[in-house]
Amino acid sequence: MKKILIVGAGGQIGSELTVYLRGIYGAGNVVATDMRDCTATLGQDGPFEVLDALNAEALASIVSRYQIDAIFNLVALLSATGEKNPQLAWKINMGALNNSLEVARQYNCALFTPSSIGAFGPTSPKDKTPQDTVMQPTTIYGVCKYTGEMLGNYYHQRFGVDTRSVRFPGIISNVTLPGGGTTDYAVEIYYEAVKQGRFTCPVPADVYMDMIYMPDALRACVELMEADPAKLIHRNSFNIASMSFTPEIICAELKKRMPDFTMDYDVDPVKKAIAESWPNSLDDTCAREEWGWKPEWDLSRMTDDMLEHIRRKMNK
Ligand code: SER
């Protein structure tokens, strides 16, 4: 990767991935794009362009103008938002992916697209969910992610496009909030704990989901994209795991540091159904073996770091 394009750079992953990649590859070599104008943030130390990812010509023009050789397509409506408007979720999630694949094929670019724990469904094995197993997602988000995995593999086999992907757990971060996901509670809980010492959780107390801290997620993107292709048996997409917990467990972790913190529940039926349909924890052996994946953060260290950053941000 020498000249990188990030599509959907204004979102939860993109806003931090842009900074991270610019630190490694040079600010001028990482072009951030989003449909909203993010010049004030992402355009300060490197190139930023407004781009509607559904406009294939505009995407191709930026790729050609900047001589891009690697694309990160981060455009997606998340799981809970997707259920409010499945047609729109399909249009946006698949439209951005289709355009990225086609432009990657035409301009000979590598392409990273995140998949998700949401690509699995209720018929997948729940614990230590294997890399290669039954995948019958029941959300439109998951249907898009699973289809995207198949399309990515197809473009690799059929056209030789260098497509790579990881199945992200819920990503926890302290820069840009996620929006409309089922795992968002695990980010919101930290903000609410600092702001008001209490949190109302929309996900049932005992539902396990895989989670990952943003620094590990960013490192995974780069390590996979820089991995020796000869070692990759899989491509789209790799299970990666870091930590798995329930609302009860993260609440207990906060209480250790904030004994007065309280949590109650107002369970959202849509999020409950989605969370219960996803794995409890993924088996990431293939990622470890094929490109050396290894998480560095656990729940305890992440909690310390999240609280420190959010307190600083909120002057608390
Ligand atoms: N974080 C996403 C969601 O909850 C899953 O990949 O929708």
Side-chain angles (χ1 to χ4, degrees):
M1 294 195 289
K2 291 195 172 66
K3 278 276 191 175
I4 300 169
L5 174 69
I6 305 183
V7 185
Q12 187 201 14
I13 302 176
S15 57
E16 293 193 54
L17 186 65
T18 302
V19 176
Y20 185 72
L21 292 177
R22 283 179 178 166
I24 299 173
Y25 299 96
N29 295 322
V30 179
V31 182
T33 67
D34 199 275
M35 61 182 293
R36 288 157 300 184
D37 188 355
C38 304
T39 314
T41 47
L42 301 173
Q44 286 313 298
D45 65 340
F48 174 82
E49 302 264 354
V50 173
L51 171 70
D52 174 0
L54 300 185
N55 182 341
E57 272 174 33
L59 175 60
S61 144
I62 291 178
V63 165
S64 154
R65 188 149 34 97
Y66 287 96
Q67 298 184 307
I68 297 295
D69 65 9
I71 303 172
F72 286 76
N73 163 40
L74 306 177
V75 174
L77 291 194
L78 296 185
S79 57
T81 307
E83 291 314 300
K84 291 191 186 132
N85 194 340
Q87 297 278 330
L88 183 69
W90 176 264
K91 188 176 158 203
I92 291 177
N93 297 9
M94 295 312 298
L97 175 60
N98 247 319
N99 289 346
S100 301
L101 283 164
E102 264 305 290
V103 170
R105 179 178 74 80
Q106 287 159 16
Y107 290 85
N108 203 14
C109 301
L111 174 63
F112 177 91
T113 304
S115 186
S116 161
I117 51 173
F120 294 103
T123 52
S124 308
K126 276 260 170 257
D127 296 300
K128 289 271 163 209
T129 309
Q131 170 70 39
D132 301 311
T133 187
V134 178
M135 298 182 79
Q136 296 176 321
T138 48
T139 62
I140 190 67
Y141 175 74
V143 170
C144 292
K145 287 299 185 196
Y146 184 55
T147 312
E149 291 189 9
M150 297 298 99
L151 261 181
N153 284 338
Y154 178 76
Y155 266 71
H156 176 64
Q157 285 149 15
R158 178 80 169 77
F159 303 118
V161 179
D162 186 359
T163 54
R164 306 184 189 194
S165 171
V166 297
R167 292 179 183 135
F168 273 132
I171 300 178
I172 298 172
S173 66
N174 52 56
V175 175
T176 305
L177 286 169
T182 305
T183 57
D184 294 8
Y185 89 86
V187 178
E188 288 155 4
I189 190 171
Y190 287 110
Y191 281 87
E192 293 306 310
V194 171
K195 234 189 281 175
Q196 41 194 9
R198 54 178 306 280
F199 178 60
T200 300
C201 185
V203 170
D206 57 350
V207 177
Y208 277 91
M209 282 185 279
D210 264 303
M211 304 281 176
I212 189 170
Y213 197 31
M214 185 63 95
D216 271 342
L218 299 175
R219 197 168 45 76
C221 294
V222 171
E223 287 180 2
L224 174 58
M225 290 309 278
E226 291 292 0
D228 177 357
K231 297 216 171 99
L232 298 182
I233 299 163
H234 297 83
R235 278 182 169 266
N236 303 278
S237 174
F238 282 96
N239 282 4
I240 57 169
S242 167
M243 55 186 102
S244 167
F245 55 75
T246 64
E248 235 163 25
I249 292 173
I250 189 172
C251 173
E253 200 63 37
L254 275 158
K255 269 180 181 288
K256 282 187 207 161
R257 293 152 180 87
M258 308 170 78
D260 295 335
F261 174 72
T262 58
M263 181 158 97
D264 59 4
Y265 292 87
D266 181 9
V267 170
D268 174 334
V270 174
K271 289 188 178 176
K272 174 178 189 291
I274 296 174
E276 286 174 348
S277 79
W278 289 353
N280 294 336
S281 64
L282 300 189
D283 177 346
D284 61 1
T285 309
C286 292
R288 288 173 186 263
E289 286 176 359
E290 293 173 39
W291 50 277
W293 163 245
K294 197 167 184 278
E296 287 176 357
W297 292 81
D298 61 17
L299 176 58
S300 170
R301 268 188 73 215
M302 175 181 78
T303 298
D304 288 335
D305 201 60
M306 281 293 283
L307 290 176
E308 191 190 317
H309 278 90
I310 294 171
R311 281 185 178 129
R312 211 180 302 147
K313 207 151 93 165
M314 292 186 169
N315 281 323
K316 290 261 193 182

